């Protein structure tokens, strides 16, 4: 295995604005191990890995990171965007193996010095970096190399491509939403924005959970209807054909209401109308509220609406909607969740729908595609040109 070069390329955020105007491709010193200083999210010595990144996937959250945070608040010397990556381990650092274990929370994998080493040089891995690591350290996925705490990585299954295994965040979010919605065998569930990164994962996971006696209905535009059906949806609602989606849902599903709704984009008008098509006691599980633009005032309004949905009493007598709002928060998934989702990929229960694959130098164009809000599945970036789209 080749040694990492002293310098390598990374996309960095150079100001506040939309990706094409604030992203620069620069040459910077390649990260090295051991890490110094230790970051606030992982303050004790534990296993770290240096990864030669093969693929990264893009998420709308990175666009918010660029448009919302003023440059003076970015403390890291290089601020690389994106949380999702796959690649090959090129270096491992593990603290004294006789030291004490840390993070001994019941049911959680311990990570401290006494924990067994999980990775070796040459291993294929996939990782999702939480915002608590990415924001203060500036470590992101759109770079040729990244040094990360091993706790954020999972071995890449031999039968899953590097490209697909770089799409963990959408799969983790869908997984958490399905669990929090309480969906079970035989249930009827509505998925809104079923053709997006999270939606395509949610449809497949729900098909698996509700089984052949259950019903999965996906909302997407007509051009994506065959794709969403191929993932397991029984019916499609083409939202482009209806002047008001909430009114259409109320009319069509009043007599056969859903047991849960998974809203993977966040539509307040649909939530408010949900008592007409969601059973009493059913959960309206959402990723948040979709702001009309990526800019600050719209974002603040969306967060405020979301918080009101969470805090306001549910009772219609007190001005509530009458159905429980479930706010999915995928900021810090556990290792067990990561392993569960990668296991679903390995067993073929879920597959990644690729909207498009872009070369590393085309990251700005890839963000344009994502920002249009009509990507069908995941927007992927091939960081290492030597790793083909199907390479496992
Ligand atoms: N809460 C959390 O922890 C968390 C975690 C990750 C992401 N998120 C958020 O979740 C949201 C979705 O993420 P994503 O990666 O799935 O986004 P995405 O892939 O960009 O979603 C695009 C999809 O939205 C659909 N869409 C657009 N307008 C629609 C409409 N009016 N009705 C129905 N569908 C519509 C499009 O379908 P058509 O082309 O068919 O119209 C497209 O397939 C983002 O806002 C992201 O920030 C939250």
């Amino acid at each position: 295995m080749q040694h990492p070069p002293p310098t390598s390329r990374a996309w960095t955020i150079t100001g506040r604005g939309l990706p094409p105007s604030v992203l620069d491709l620069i040459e910077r010193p390649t990260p090295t191990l051991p890490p110094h200083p230790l970051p606030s999210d992982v303050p004790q010595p534990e296993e770290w890995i240096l990864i030669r990144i093969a693929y990264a996937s893009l998420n709308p959250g990175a666009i918010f990171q660029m448009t919302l945070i003023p440059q003076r608040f970015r403390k890291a010397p290089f601020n690389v965007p994106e949380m999702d990556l796959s690649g090959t381990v090129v270096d491992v650092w593990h603290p004294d193996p006789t030291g004490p274990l840390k993070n001994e929370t019941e049911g959680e994998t311990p990570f401290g010095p006494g924990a067994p080493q999980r990775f070796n040089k040459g291993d294929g891995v996939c990782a999702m970096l939480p915002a608590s690591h990415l924001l203060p350290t500036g470590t992101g996925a759109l770079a040729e190399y990244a040094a990360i705490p091993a706790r954020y990585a999972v071995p890449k299954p031999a039968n899953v491509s590097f490209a697909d295994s770089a799409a963990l965040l959408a799969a983790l979010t869908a997984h958490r939403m399905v669990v929090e919605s309480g969906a079970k065998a035989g249930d009827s569930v509505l998925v809104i924005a079923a053709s997006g990164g999270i939606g395509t994962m949610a449809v497949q996971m729900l098909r698996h959970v509700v089984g052949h006696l259950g019903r999965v209905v996906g909302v997407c535009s007509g051009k994506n209807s065959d794709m969403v059906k191929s993932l397991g949806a029984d019916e499609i609602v083409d939202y482009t054909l209806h002047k008001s989606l909430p009114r259409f849902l109320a009319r069509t599903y009043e007599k056969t209401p859903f047991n849960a709704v998974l809203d993977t984009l966040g539509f307040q008008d649909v939530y408010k109308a949900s008592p007409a098509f969601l059973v009493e006691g059913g959960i309206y599980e959402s990723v948040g509220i979709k702001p009309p633009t990526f800019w600050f005032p719209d974002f603040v309004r969306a967060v405020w609406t979301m918080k009101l949905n969470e805090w306001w009493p549910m009772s219609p007598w007190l001005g509530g909607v009458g159905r429980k709002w479930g706010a999915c928060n995928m900021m810090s998934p556990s290792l067990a969740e990561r392993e569960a989702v990668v296991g679903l990929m390995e067993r073929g229960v879920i597959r990644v729908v690729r909207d498009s694959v872009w070369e590393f130098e085309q990251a700005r164009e890839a963000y344009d595609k994502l920002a249009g809000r009509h990507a069908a599945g995941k927007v992927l970036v091939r960081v290492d040109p030597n790793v083909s789209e199907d390479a496992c």
Side-chain angles (χ1 to χ4, degrees):
M1 176 173 297
Q2 278 185 343
H3 284 296
T7 64
S8 51
R9 294 180 305 162
W11 284 98
T12 53
I13 305 170
T14 58
R16 182 175 163 210
L18 286 165
S21 58
V22 301
L23 279 182
D24 261 0
L25 184 55
I26 61 156
E27 190 84 17
R28 60 156 186 183
T30 300
T32 52
L33 296 178
H36 180 76
L38 287 168
S40 55
D41 60 314
V42 183
Q44 305 293 333
E46 61 176 59
E47 185 178 348
W48 281 64
I49 51 180
L50 176 64
I51 302 170
R52 168 73 171 110
I53 296 177
Y55 281 81
S57 76
L58 304 191
N59 292 289
I63 305 181
F64 287 116
Q65 183 197 350
M66 289 179 233
T67 54
L68 295 180
I69 304 176
Q71 189 64 3
R72 65 177 178 282
F73 290 158
R74 300 186 213 276
K75 297 290 177 232
F78 305 102
N79 291 279
V80 181
E82 289 305 343
M83 301 167 142
D84 273 339
L85 62 92
S86 67
T88 303
V89 174
V90 292
D91 198 8
V92 183
W93 178 77
H94 198 279
D96 175 8
T98 59
L101 283 174
K102 297 277 172 6
N103 189 25
E104 286 176 288
T105 320
E106 203 182 335
E108 277 290 322
T109 311
F111 295 113
Q117 185 170 323
R118 293 175 57 229
F119 295 106
N120 291 300
K121 284 186 196 182
D123 287 350
V125 288
C126 46
M128 183 237 137
L129 302 170
S132 58
H133 186 77
L134 179 140
L135 294 178
T137 63
T139 303
L142 275 183
E144 289 175 328
Y145 289 87
I148 67 167
R151 63 161 73 193
Y152 299 138
V154 175
K156 184 192 76 58
N159 62 342
V160 179
S161 66
F162 281 98
D164 290 347
S165 62
L168 282 192
L169 176 61
L172 282 160
T173 310
H175 186 255
R176 179 79 68 85
M177 292 180 86
V178 171
V179 170
E180 289 183 352
S181 75
K184 56 185 187 316
D187 275 359
S188 172
V189 186
L190 178 71
V191 181
I192 300 176
S195 51
I198 300 172
T200 48
M201 289 292 177
V203 168
Q204 298 175 79
M205 291 177 193
L206 283 168
R207 178 79 275 153
H208 187 64
V209 167
V210 304
H212 66 283
L213 294 177
R215 175 178 66 156
V216 180
V217 178
V219 177
C220 63
S221 61
K223 67 179 186 315
N224 289 323
S225 107
D226 286 348
M227 180 267 280
V228 174
K229 275 191 177 162
S230 78
L231 300 175
D234 299 292
E235 286 171 40
I236 298 298
V237 173
D238 178 353
Y239 71 89
T240 64
L241 300 179
H242 307 289
K243 213 164 155 201
S244 162
L245 178 66
R247 269 211 300 279
F248 175 79
L249 293 172
R251 247 192 350 258
T252 313
Y253 297 102
E254 197 180 5
K255 298 219 161 58
T256 53
F258 298 100
N259 299 97
V261 175
L262 268 60
D263 185 344
T264 71
L265 215 46
F267 293 96
Q268 182 68 2
D269 57 343
V270 184
Y271 171 54
K272 278 166 92 174
S274 63
F277 52 84
L278 175 59
V279 297
E280 207 174 339
I283 295 180
Y284 191 100
E285 178 75 14
S286 183
V287 290
I289 292 290
K290 174 184 174 295
T293 73
F294 287 100
W295 291 99
F296 190 71
D298 285 330
F299 182 79
V300 172
R301 263 192 292 275
V303 171
W304 178 241
T305 308
M306 195 168 75
K307 289 294 158 198
L308 282 183
N309 289 345
E310 261 176 68
W311 297 331
W312 201 264
M314 217 169 62
S315 159
W317 298 103
L318 299 169
V321 166
R323 292 295 180 272
K324 187 172 163 36
W325 166 269
C328 176
N329 180 349
M330 187 33 69
M331 290 303 110
S332 199
S334 66
L335 183 59
E337 281 176 290
R338 294 162 191 272
E339 286 170 344
V341 160
V342 172
L344 292 176
M345 286 186 184
E346 183 175 23
R347 297 198 304 281
V349 176
I350 54 172
R351 66 179 171 87
V352 174
V353 175
R354 299 180 190 173
D355 171 87
S356 45
V357 183
W358 303 78
E359 298 304 329
F360 190 49
E361 296 76 12
Q362 297 175 307
R364 293 193 189 99
E365 290 88 334
Y367 272 116
D368 272 344
K369 180 70 208 280
L370 185 75
R373 293 290 207 179
H374 289 286
K378 291 300 300 176
V379 175
L380 301 168
V381 173
R382 175 166 40 187
V383 178
D384 184 344
N386 299 314
V387 182
S388 74
E389 289 183 26
D390 295 322
C392 292

